[in-house]
Amino acid sequence: MIVDIREKDEFRRKHIPGAIPWPLSEIQSGNTLYTFPAQSPVIFHCQVGSRTQQNRAALAKTVDGGEFVLLEGGINAWKQAGLPIVKNARQPLPLMRQVQITAGTVVLVGVIAGYNLHQGFFLLSGFVGAGLLFAGISGWYGMANLLAKCPEIASSKNKAGQNTMIHLQFIPKARCY
């Protein structure tokens, strides 16, 4: 069984066929959505492998003492190994990438305008930096909340999580626990 711990918007845009979407945010909040069969290991993956490594203890709790595997390199390594992925480019970019693009654009515009038009525009870059600092400390992401309310960014519901299970013959660099 393959479990994708990325957020739902990331899953909708690209995922491993047959993977079950179970976002890390739901795992960390204690939601027990799935009961895993004891006879086979559960394979957890994220985008590049860092989320699974950093949250190994929380993932271990979800399998209740059973065997589990962390896919090193995540879905990127899976794709690089030439294994199939389901991709839906019509889905919007993941929300956090949209936040990064927006924040980077506002900071860049503030710096360029500060040098070329008026020094007051540097405050725009400072405001975005302060917002990112606050988000990192508090866990409240104002820009993400604002972007999520935009109708053209709102993600649509689909049945991507209802794929059938596939049998794996090759897993790129996986660690069993």
Side-chain angles (χ1 to χ4, degrees):
M1 177 175 290
I2 305 173
V3 178
D4 189 331
I5 67 164
R6 298 172 307 142
E7 293 303 313
K8 290 177 182 177
D9 56 345
E10 294 174 280
F11 180 86
R12 282 191 293 267
R13 187 153 172 96
K14 175 175 65 173
H15 62 273
I16 294 172
I20 297 170
W22 193 14
L24 182 60
S25 58
E26 293 179 13
I27 293 170
Q28 290 173 330
S29 66
N31 291 351
T32 53
L33 300 176
Y34 300 103
T35 304
F36 300 114
Q39 68 272 17
S40 62
V42 177
I43 302 165
F44 291 105
H45 83 87
C46 60
Q47 187 70 32
V48 295
S50 57
R51 276 182 271 188
T52 53
Q53 283 294 333
Q54 292 169 356
N55 296 283
R56 183 175 46 239
L59 298 174
K61 288 179 185 176
T62 66
V63 296
D64 199 28
E67 187 179 29
F68 68 98
V69 175
L70 302 181
L71 183 62
E72 289 186 16
I75 193 170
N76 288 353
W78 180 275
K79 182 180 177 186
Q80 193 172 31
L83 297 169
I85 62 167
V86 176
K87 195 170 186 177
N88 186 351
R90 290 184 296 190
Q91 290 294 321
L93 287 173
L95 186 58
M96 291 314 292
R97 281 190 60 196
Q98 293 177 37
V99 168
Q100 292 166 340
I101 291 168
T102 303
T105 301
V106 172
V107 167
L108 183 62
V109 166
V111 169
I112 292 171
Y115 276 116
N116 294 315
L117 299 175
H118 188 273
Q119 290 181 349
F121 282 104
F122 286 120
L123 292 173
L124 184 62
S125 300
F127 178 74
V128 172
L132 292 172
L133 177 64
F134 179 76
I137 292 170
S138 70
W140 185 80
Y141 303 99
M143 190 178 298
N145 293 337
L146 179 66
L147 288 173
K149 292 180 181 180
C150 296
E152 63 275 359
I153 293 173
S155 52
S156 60
K157 302 282 183 193
N158 65 20
K159 296 181 181 178
Q162 298 178 358
N163 294 322
T164 57
M165 182 63 191
I166 62 168
H167 295 282
L168 301 177
Q169 296 176 352
F170 171 76
I171 301 173
K173 291 186 183 177
R175 286 193 185 164
C176 297
Y177 294 93

